[in-house]
PDB file of all heavy atoms in Angstrom:
ATOM      1  N   HIS S   1     104.268  97.542 111.261  1.00 98.00           N
ATOM      2  CA  HIS S   1     104.184  97.724 112.747  1.00 98.00           C
ATOM      3  C   HIS S   1     102.963  98.561 112.972  1.00 98.00           C
ATOM      4  O   HIS S   1     101.972  98.305 113.775  1.00 98.00           O
ATOM      5  CB  HIS S   1     105.294  98.181 113.405  1.00 98.00           C
ATOM      6  CG  HIS S   1     106.473  97.138 113.351  1.00 98.00           C
ATOM      7  ND1 HIS S   1     107.322  97.055 112.351  1.00 98.00           N
ATOM      8  CD2 HIS S   1     106.722  96.190 114.302  1.00 98.00           C
ATOM      9  CE1 HIS S   1     108.116  96.042 112.634  1.00 98.00           C
ATOM     10  NE2 HIS S   1     107.869  95.601 113.753  1.00 98.00           N
ATOM     11  N   ARG S   2     102.858  99.707 112.343  1.00 97.00           N
ATOM     12  CA  ARG S   2     101.818 100.728 112.516  1.00 97.00           C
ATOM     13  C   ARG S   2     100.477 100.201 111.914  1.00 97.00           C
ATOM     14  O   ARG S   2      99.437 100.354 112.613  1.00 97.00           O
ATOM     15  CB  ARG S   2     102.258 102.101 111.800  1.00 97.00           C
ATOM     16  CG  ARG S   2     101.327 103.078 112.271  1.00 97.00           C
ATOM     17  CD  ARG S   2     101.797 104.448 111.832  1.00 97.00           C
ATOM     18  NE  ARG S   2     100.906 105.452 112.189  1.00 97.00           N
ATOM     19  CZ  ARG S   2     100.782 106.757 111.822  1.00 97.00           C
ATOM     20  NH1 ARG S   2     102.041 107.043 111.086  1.00 97.00           N
ATOM     21  NH2 ARG S   2      99.962 107.722 112.178  1.00 97.00           N
ATOM     22  N   PHE S   3     100.560  99.520 110.867  1.00 97.00           N
ATOM     23  CA  PHE S   3      99.400  98.872 110.160  1.00 97.00           C
ATOM     24  C   PHE S   3      98.738  97.920 111.077  1.00 97.00           C
ATOM     25  O   PHE S   3      97.424  97.893 111.229  1.00 97.00           O
ATOM     26  CB  PHE S   3      99.719  98.281 108.831  1.00 97.00           C
ATOM     27  CG  PHE S   3      98.659  97.900 107.961  1.00 97.00           C
ATOM     28  CD1 PHE S   3      97.815  98.831 107.363  1.00 97.00           C
ATOM     29  CD2 PHE S   3      98.411  96.576 107.890  1.00 97.00           C
ATOM     30  CE1 PHE S   3      96.780  98.431 106.464  1.00 97.00           C
ATOM     31  CE2 PHE S   3      97.350  96.150 107.019  1.00 97.00           C
ATOM     32  CZ  PHE S   3      96.472  97.226 106.187  1.00 97.00           C
ATOM     33  N   MET S   4      99.513  97.146 111.734  1.00 96.00           N
ATOM     34  CA  MET S   4      99.056  96.096 112.654  1.00 96.00           C
ATOM     35  C   MET S   4      98.840  96.535 114.035  1.00 96.00           C
ATOM     36  O   MET S   4      98.014  95.847 114.793  1.00 96.00           O
ATOM     37  CB  MET S   4     100.102  94.879 112.772  1.00 96.00           C
ATOM     38  CG  MET S   4     100.192  94.142 111.452  1.00 96.00           C
ATOM     39  SD  MET S   4     101.502  92.840 111.493  1.00 96.00           S
ATOM     40  CE  MET S   4     100.525  91.663 112.292  1.00 96.00           C
ATOM     41  N   GLY S   5      99.390  97.611 114.400  1.00 96.00           N
ATOM     42  CA  GLY S   5      99.287  98.183 115.842  1.00 96.00           C
ATOM     43  C   GLY S   5     100.077  97.375 116.750  1.00 96.00           C
ATOM     44  O   GLY S   5      99.787  97.243 117.940  1.00 96.00           O
ATOM     45  N   TRP S   6     101.181  96.783 116.120  1.00 97.00           N
ATOM     46  CA  TRP S   6     102.095  95.833 116.910  1.00 97.00           C
ATOM     47  C   TRP S   6     103.405  96.503 117.011  1.00 97.00           C
ATOM     48  O   TRP S   6     103.931  96.777 115.943  1.00 97.00           O
ATOM     49  CB  TRP S   6     102.128  94.452 116.387  1.00 97.00           C
ATOM     50  CG  TRP S   6     103.138  93.584 116.919  1.00 97.00           C
ATOM     51  CD1 TRP S   6     104.246  93.169 116.479  1.00 97.00           C
ATOM     52  CD2 TRP S   6     102.824  92.752 118.143  1.00 97.00           C
ATOM     53  NE1 TRP S   6     104.870  92.297 117.381  1.00 97.00           N
ATOM     54  CE2 TRP S   6     103.915  91.974 118.250  1.00 97.00           C
ATOM     55  CE3 TRP S   6     101.702  92.578 119.115  1.00 97.00           C
ATOM     56  CZ2 TRP S   6     104.069  91.106 119.408  1.00 97.00           C
ATOM     57  CZ3 TRP S   6     101.861  91.709 120.134  1.00 97.00           C
ATOM     58  CH2 TRP S   6     102.993  91.087 120.319  1.00 97.00           C
ATOM     59  N   ASP S   7     103.903  96.867 118.227  1.00 97.00           N
ATOM     60  CA  ASP S   7     105.308  97.478 118.400  1.00 97.00           C
ATOM     61  C   ASP S   7     106.362  96.468 118.647  1.00 97.00           C
ATOM     62  O   ASP S   7     107.574  96.903 118.664  1.00 97.00           O
ATOM     63  CB  ASP S   7     105.235  98.491 119.406  1.00 97.00           C
ATOM     64  CG  ASP S   7     104.886  97.931 120.892  1.00 97.00           C
ATOM     65  OD1 ASP S   7     104.765  96.798 120.924  1.00 97.00           O
ATOM     66  OD2 ASP S   7     104.830  98.706 121.758  1.00 97.00           O
ATOM     67  N   GLY S   8     106.120  95.170 118.601  1.00 97.00           N
ATOM     68  CA  GLY S   8     107.050  94.177 118.789  1.00 97.00           C
ATOM     69  C   GLY S   8     107.671  93.692 117.456  1.00 97.00           C
ATOM     70  O   GLY S   8     107.380  94.147 116.479  1.00 97.00           O
ATOM     71  N   PRO S   9     108.623  92.748 117.557  1.00 98.00           N
ATOM     72  CA  PRO S   9     109.119  92.200 116.297  1.00 98.00           C
ATOM     73  C   PRO S   9     108.132  91.520 115.391  1.00 98.00           C
ATOM     74  O   PRO S   9     107.192  90.966 115.787  1.00 98.00           O
ATOM     75  CB  PRO S   9     110.268  91.171 116.755  1.00 98.00           C
ATOM     76  CG  PRO S   9     110.384  91.587 118.268  1.00 98.00           C
ATOM     77  CD  PRO S   9     109.207  92.207 118.664  1.00 98.00           C
ATOM     78  N   ILE S  10     108.395  91.587 114.068  1.00 98.00           N
ATOM     79  CA  ILE S  10     107.496  91.033 113.032  1.00 98.00           C
ATOM     80  C   ILE S  10     108.443  90.309 112.082  1.00 98.00           C
ATOM     81  O   ILE S  10     109.459  90.874 111.583  1.00 98.00           O
ATOM     82  CB  ILE S  10     106.646  92.046 112.331  1.00 98.00           C
ATOM     83  CG1 ILE S  10     105.671  92.751 113.240  1.00 98.00           C
ATOM     84  CG2 ILE S  10     105.840  91.268 111.216  1.00 98.00           C
ATOM     85  CD1 ILE S  10     104.906  93.834 112.603  1.00 98.00           C
ATOM     86  N   LEU S  11     108.095  89.029 111.735  1.00 98.00           N
ATOM     87  CA  LEU S  11     108.706  88.260 110.711  1.00 98.00           C
ATOM     88  C   LEU S  11     107.815  88.066 109.468  1.00 98.00           C
ATOM     89  O   LEU S  11     106.544  87.891 109.825  1.00 98.00           O
ATOM     90  CB  LEU S  11     109.135  86.936 111.187  1.00 98.00           C
ATOM     91  CG  LEU S  11     109.787  85.896 110.292  1.00 98.00           C
ATOM     92  CD1 LEU S  11     110.803  84.963 110.984  1.00 98.00           C
ATOM     93  CD2 LEU S  11     108.804  84.944 109.544  1.00 98.00           C
ATOM     94  N   THR S  12     108.324  88.452 108.285  1.00 98.00           N
ATOM     95  CA  THR S  12     107.411  88.216 107.117  1.00 98.00           C
ATOM     96  C   THR S  12     107.977  86.964 106.342  1.00 98.00           C
ATOM     97  O   THR S  12     109.233  86.841 106.302  1.00 98.00           O
ATOM     98  CB  THR S  12     107.372  89.330 106.192  1.00 98.00           C
ATOM     99  OG1 THR S  12     108.688  89.854 106.088  1.00 98.00           O
ATOM    100  CG2 THR S  12     106.538  90.513 106.797  1.00 98.00           C
ATOM    101  N   ASP S  13     107.035  86.085 105.971  1.00 95.00           N
ATOM    102  CA  ASP S  13     107.471  84.956 105.247  1.00 95.00           C
ATOM    103  C   ASP S  13     107.769  85.456 103.829  1.00 95.00           C
ATOM    104  O   ASP S  13     107.354  86.637 103.479  1.00 95.00           O
ATOM    105  CB  ASP S  13     106.482  83.904 105.217  1.00 95.00           C
ATOM    106  CG  ASP S  13     105.243  84.173 104.529  1.00 95.00           C
ATOM    107  OD1 ASP S  13     105.138  85.266 103.887  1.00 95.00           O
ATOM    108  OD2 ASP S  13     104.415  83.320 104.381  1.00 95.00           O
ATOM    109  N   SER S  14     108.199  84.579 102.795  1.00 94.00           N
ATOM    110  CA  SER S  14     108.578  85.103 101.516  1.00 94.00           C
ATOM    111  C   SER S  14     107.489  84.808 100.513  1.00 94.00           C
ATOM    112  O   SER S  14     107.576  85.410  99.496  1.00 94.00           O
ATOM    113  CB  SER S  14     109.849  84.306 101.165  1.00 94.00           C
ATOM    114  OG  SER S  14     109.451  82.858 101.016  1.00 94.00           O
ATOM    115  N   GLY S  15     106.474  84.067 100.857  1.00 91.00           N
ATOM    116  CA  GLY S  15     105.667  83.552  99.768  1.00 91.00           C
ATOM    117  C   GLY S  15     105.829  82.107  99.265  1.00 91.00           C
ATOM    118  O   GLY S  15     105.177  81.593  98.549  1.00 91.00           O
ATOM    119  N   GLY S  16     106.909  81.612  99.801  1.00 92.00           N
ATOM    120  CA  GLY S  16     107.284  80.260  99.465  1.00 92.00           C
ATOM    121  C   GLY S  16     106.326  79.233  99.774  1.00 92.00           C
ATOM    122  O   GLY S  16     106.124  78.329  99.008  1.00 92.00           O
ATOM    123  N   PHE S  17     105.633  79.351 100.852  1.00 92.00           N
ATOM    124  CA  PHE S  17     104.598  78.427 101.340  1.00 92.00           C
ATOM    125  C   PHE S  17     103.534  78.364 100.176  1.00 92.00           C
ATOM    126  O   PHE S  17     102.929  77.252 100.001  1.00 92.00           O
ATOM    127  CB  PHE S  17     104.014  78.682 102.668  1.00 92.00           C
ATOM    128  CG  PHE S  17     102.901  77.670 103.000  1.00 92.00           C
ATOM    129  CD1 PHE S  17     103.279  76.436 103.506  1.00 92.00           C
ATOM    130  CD2 PHE S  17     101.645  77.962 103.218  1.00 92.00           C
ATOM    131  CE1 PHE S  17     102.247  75.470 103.873  1.00 92.00           C
ATOM    132  CE2 PHE S  17     100.645  77.112 103.322  1.00 92.00           C
ATOM    133  CZ  PHE S  17     100.995  75.733 103.830  1.00 92.00           C
ATOM    134  N   GLN S  18     103.233  79.522  99.606  1.00 92.00           N
ATOM    135  CA  GLN S  18     102.184  79.572  98.586  1.00 92.00           C
ATOM    136  C   GLN S  18     102.497  78.723  97.411  1.00 92.00           C
ATOM    137  O   GLN S  18     101.715  78.283  96.590  1.00 92.00           O
ATOM    138  CB  GLN S  18     101.725  80.955  98.334  1.00 92.00           C
ATOM    139  CG  GLN S  18     100.817  81.539  99.171  1.00 92.00           C
ATOM    140  CD  GLN S  18     101.512  81.928 100.585  1.00 92.00           C
ATOM    141  OE1 GLN S  18     102.590  82.282 100.746  1.00 92.00           O
ATOM    142  NE2 GLN S  18     100.800  81.567 101.745  1.00 92.00           N
ATOM    143  N   LEU S  19     103.835  78.543  97.110  1.00 91.00           N
ATOM    144  CA  LEU S  19     104.227  77.714  96.062  1.00 91.00           C
ATOM    145  C   LEU S  19     103.693  76.277  96.272  1.00 91.00           C
ATOM    146  O   LEU S  19     103.343  75.661  95.134  1.00 91.00           O
ATOM    147  CB  LEU S  19     105.722  77.622  95.804  1.00 91.00           C
ATOM    148  CG  LEU S  19     106.339  78.709  95.071  1.00 91.00           C
ATOM    149  CD1 LEU S  19     106.368  80.015  95.725  1.00 91.00           C
ATOM    150  CD2 LEU S  19     107.844  78.469  94.768  1.00 91.00           C
ATOM    151  N   PHE S  20     103.564  75.981  97.468  1.00 91.00           N
ATOM    152  CA  PHE S  20     103.049  74.548  97.862  1.00 91.00           C
ATOM    153  C   PHE S  20     101.444  74.663  97.907  1.00 91.00           C
ATOM    154  O   PHE S  20     100.845  73.829  97.314  1.00 91.00           O
ATOM    155  CB  PHE S  20     103.683  74.103  99.200  1.00 91.00           C
ATOM    156  CG  PHE S  20     102.806  73.150 100.020  1.00 91.00           C
ATOM    157  CD1 PHE S  20     102.933  71.789  99.611  1.00 91.00           C
ATOM    158  CD2 PHE S  20     102.021  73.459 101.050  1.00 91.00           C
ATOM    159  CE1 PHE S  20     102.113  70.890 100.248  1.00 91.00           C
ATOM    160  CE2 PHE S  20     101.358  72.545 101.706  1.00 91.00           C
ATOM    161  CZ  PHE S  20     101.318  71.233 101.215  1.00 91.00           C
ATOM    162  N   SER S  21     100.931  75.578  98.814  1.00 92.00           N
ATOM    163  CA  SER S  21      99.604  75.563  99.086  1.00 92.00           C
ATOM    164  C   SER S  21      98.746  75.983  97.854  1.00 92.00           C
ATOM    165  O   SER S  21      97.509  75.620  97.665  1.00 92.00           O
ATOM    166  CB  SER S  21      99.240  76.537 100.176  1.00 92.00           C
ATOM    167  OG  SER S  21      99.445  77.768  99.872  1.00 92.00           O
ATOM    168  N   LEU S  22      99.258  76.738  96.897  1.00 90.00           N
ATOM    169  CA  LEU S  22      98.491  77.157  95.701  1.00 90.00           C
ATOM    170  C   LEU S  22      99.182  76.520  94.421  1.00 90.00           C
ATOM    171  O   LEU S  22      99.048  77.252  93.349  1.00 90.00           O
ATOM    172  CB  LEU S  22      98.615  78.863  95.643  1.00 90.00           C
ATOM    173  CG  LEU S  22      97.884  79.392  96.915  1.00 90.00           C
ATOM    174  CD1 LEU S  22      98.164  81.093  96.719  1.00 90.00           C
ATOM    175  CD2 LEU S  22      96.437  79.203  97.038  1.00 90.00           C
ATOM    176  N   ALA S  23      99.772  75.408  94.562  1.00 90.00           N
ATOM    177  CA  ALA S  23     100.490  74.930  93.450  1.00 90.00           C
ATOM    178  C   ALA S  23      99.657  74.737  92.067  1.00 90.00           C
ATOM    179  O   ALA S  23     100.181  75.015  91.068  1.00 90.00           O
ATOM    180  CB  ALA S  23     101.073  73.401  93.789  1.00 90.00           C
ATOM    181  N   LYS S  24      98.452  74.583  92.344  1.00 89.00           N
ATOM    182  CA  LYS S  24      97.510  74.338  91.221  1.00 89.00           C
ATOM    183  C   LYS S  24      97.290  75.544  90.306  1.00 89.00           C
ATOM    184  O   LYS S  24      96.935  75.543  89.206  1.00 89.00           O
ATOM    185  CB  LYS S  24      96.084  73.904  91.564  1.00 89.00           C
ATOM    186  CG  LYS S  24      96.211  72.371  92.027  1.00 89.00           C
ATOM    187  CD  LYS S  24      94.931  71.914  92.586  1.00 89.00           C
ATOM    188  CE  LYS S  24      95.089  70.371  92.888  1.00 89.00           C
ATOM    189  NZ  LYS S  24      93.938  69.686  93.398  1.00 89.00           N
ATOM    190  N   ILE S  25      97.541  76.809  90.961  1.00 88.00           N
ATOM    191  CA  ILE S  25      97.400  78.108  90.258  1.00 88.00           C
ATOM    192  C   ILE S  25      98.611  78.784  90.166  1.00 88.00           C
ATOM    193  O   ILE S  25      98.787  80.083  90.129  1.00 88.00           O
ATOM    194  CB  ILE S  25      96.300  78.934  90.798  1.00 88.00           C
ATOM    195  CG1 ILE S  25      96.470  79.152  92.317  1.00 88.00           C
ATOM    196  CG2 ILE S  25      94.917  78.346  90.719  1.00 88.00           C
ATOM    197  CD1 ILE S  25      95.631  80.132  93.136  1.00 88.00           C
ATOM    198  N   THR S  26      99.757  78.031  90.320  1.00 92.00           N
ATOM    199  CA  THR S  26     101.167  78.674  90.392  1.00 92.00           C
ATOM    200  C   THR S  26     102.115  78.015  89.311  1.00 92.00           C
ATOM    201  O   THR S  26     102.009  76.819  89.073  1.00 92.00           O
ATOM    202  CB  THR S  26     101.836  78.574  91.853  1.00 92.00           C
ATOM    203  OG1 THR S  26     100.922  79.053  92.756  1.00 92.00           O
ATOM    204  CG2 THR S  26     103.214  79.169  91.840  1.00 92.00           C
ATOM    205  N   ARG S  27     102.849  78.794  88.689  1.00 94.00           N
ATOM    206  CA  ARG S  27     104.019  78.435  87.756  1.00 94.00           C
ATOM    207  C   ARG S  27     105.273  78.664  88.354  1.00 94.00           C
ATOM    208  O   ARG S  27     105.519  79.872  88.543  1.00 94.00           O
ATOM    209  CB  ARG S  27     103.758  78.897  86.340  1.00 94.00           C
ATOM    210  CG  ARG S  27     104.767  78.347  85.294  1.00 94.00           C
ATOM    211  CD  ARG S  27     104.415  78.799  83.874  1.00 94.00           C
ATOM    212  NE  ARG S  27     103.914  80.208  83.777  1.00 94.00           N
ATOM    213  CZ  ARG S  27     104.757  81.252  83.611  1.00 94.00           C
ATOM    214  NH1 ARG S  27     106.043  81.088  83.386  1.00 94.00           N
ATOM    215  NH2 ARG S  27     104.298  82.386  83.517  1.00 94.00           N
ATOM    216  N   VAL S  28     106.124  77.697  88.482  1.00 96.00           N
ATOM    217  CA  VAL S  28     107.491  78.046  89.140  1.00 96.00           C
ATOM    218  C   VAL S  28     108.482  77.768  88.044  1.00 96.00           C
ATOM    219  O   VAL S  28     108.506  76.754  87.315  1.00 96.00           O
ATOM    220  CB  VAL S  28     107.793  76.998  90.214  1.00 96.00           C
ATOM    221  CG1 VAL S  28     109.179  77.229  90.815  1.00 96.00           C
ATOM    222  CG2 VAL S  28     106.657  77.149  91.304  1.00 96.00           C
ATOM    223  N   THR S  29     109.496  78.795  87.826  1.00 97.00           N
ATOM    224  CA  THR S  29     110.570  78.612  87.064  1.00 97.00           C
ATOM    225  C   THR S  29     111.853  79.151  87.714  1.00 97.00           C
ATOM    226  O   THR S  29     111.714  79.669  88.865  1.00 97.00           O
ATOM    227  CB  THR S  29     110.406  79.535  85.698  1.00 97.00           C
ATOM    228  OG1 THR S  29     110.445  80.922  86.183  1.00 97.00           O
ATOM    229  CG2 THR S  29     109.230  79.247  84.957  1.00 97.00           C
ATOM    230  N   GLU S  30     112.910  79.018  87.136  1.00 98.00           N
ATOM    231  CA  GLU S  30     114.149  79.496  87.822  1.00 98.00           C
ATOM    232  C   GLU S  30     114.093  81.003  88.116  1.00 98.00           C
ATOM    233  O   GLU S  30     114.649  81.432  89.052  1.00 98.00           O
ATOM    234  CB  GLU S  30     115.425  79.288  87.005  1.00 98.00           C
ATOM    235  CG  GLU S  30     116.723  79.489  87.590  1.00 98.00           C
ATOM    236  CD  GLU S  30     117.002  78.630  88.822  1.00 98.00           C
ATOM    237  OE1 GLU S  30     116.500  77.386  88.839  1.00 98.00           O
ATOM    238  OE2 GLU S  30     117.581  78.972  89.811  1.00 98.00           O
ATOM    239  N   ALA S  31     113.305  81.749  87.333  1.00 98.00           N
ATOM    240  CA  ALA S  31     113.118  83.235  87.559  1.00 98.00           C
ATOM    241  C   ALA S  31     112.316  83.457  88.853  1.00 98.00           C
ATOM    242  O   ALA S  31     112.564  84.439  89.502  1.00 98.00           O
ATOM    243  CB  ALA S  31     112.434  83.878  86.363  1.00 98.00           C
ATOM    244  N   GLY S  32     111.392  82.588  89.141  1.00 97.00           N
ATOM    245  CA  GLY S  32     110.540  82.756  90.290  1.00 97.00           C
ATOM    246  C   GLY S  32     109.181  82.070  90.014  1.00 97.00           C
ATOM    247  O   GLY S  32     109.115  81.132  89.385  1.00 97.00           O
ATOM    248  N   ALA S  33     108.100  82.573  90.655  1.00 96.00           N
ATOM    249  CA  ALA S  33     106.771  82.093  90.663  1.00 96.00           C
ATOM    250  C   ALA S  33     105.894  82.991  90.081  1.00 96.00           C
ATOM    251  O   ALA S  33     106.012  84.186  90.377  1.00 96.00           O
ATOM    252  CB  ALA S  33     106.372  81.617  91.994  1.00 96.00           C
TER     253      ALA S  33
END
């Protein structure tokens, strides 16, 4: 909030979309990515 200068609610994604968008440079296992 302070870093962005935004005092309202913030949602952070998990990084899951990058499993898709960066699939060519990502290795996925049961442990994670």
Side-chain angles (χ1 to χ4, degrees):
H1 291 87
R2 188 165 181 191
F3 188 75
M4 294 176 77
W6 177 258
D7 61 1
I10 298 173
L11 178 145
T12 45
D13 73 356
S14 64
F17 179 75
Q18 280 69 40
L19 274 71
F20 159 76
S21 67
L22 301 174
K24 292 181 180 177
I25 57 173
T26 304
R27 183 173 41 92
V28 178
T29 68
E30 191 61 32

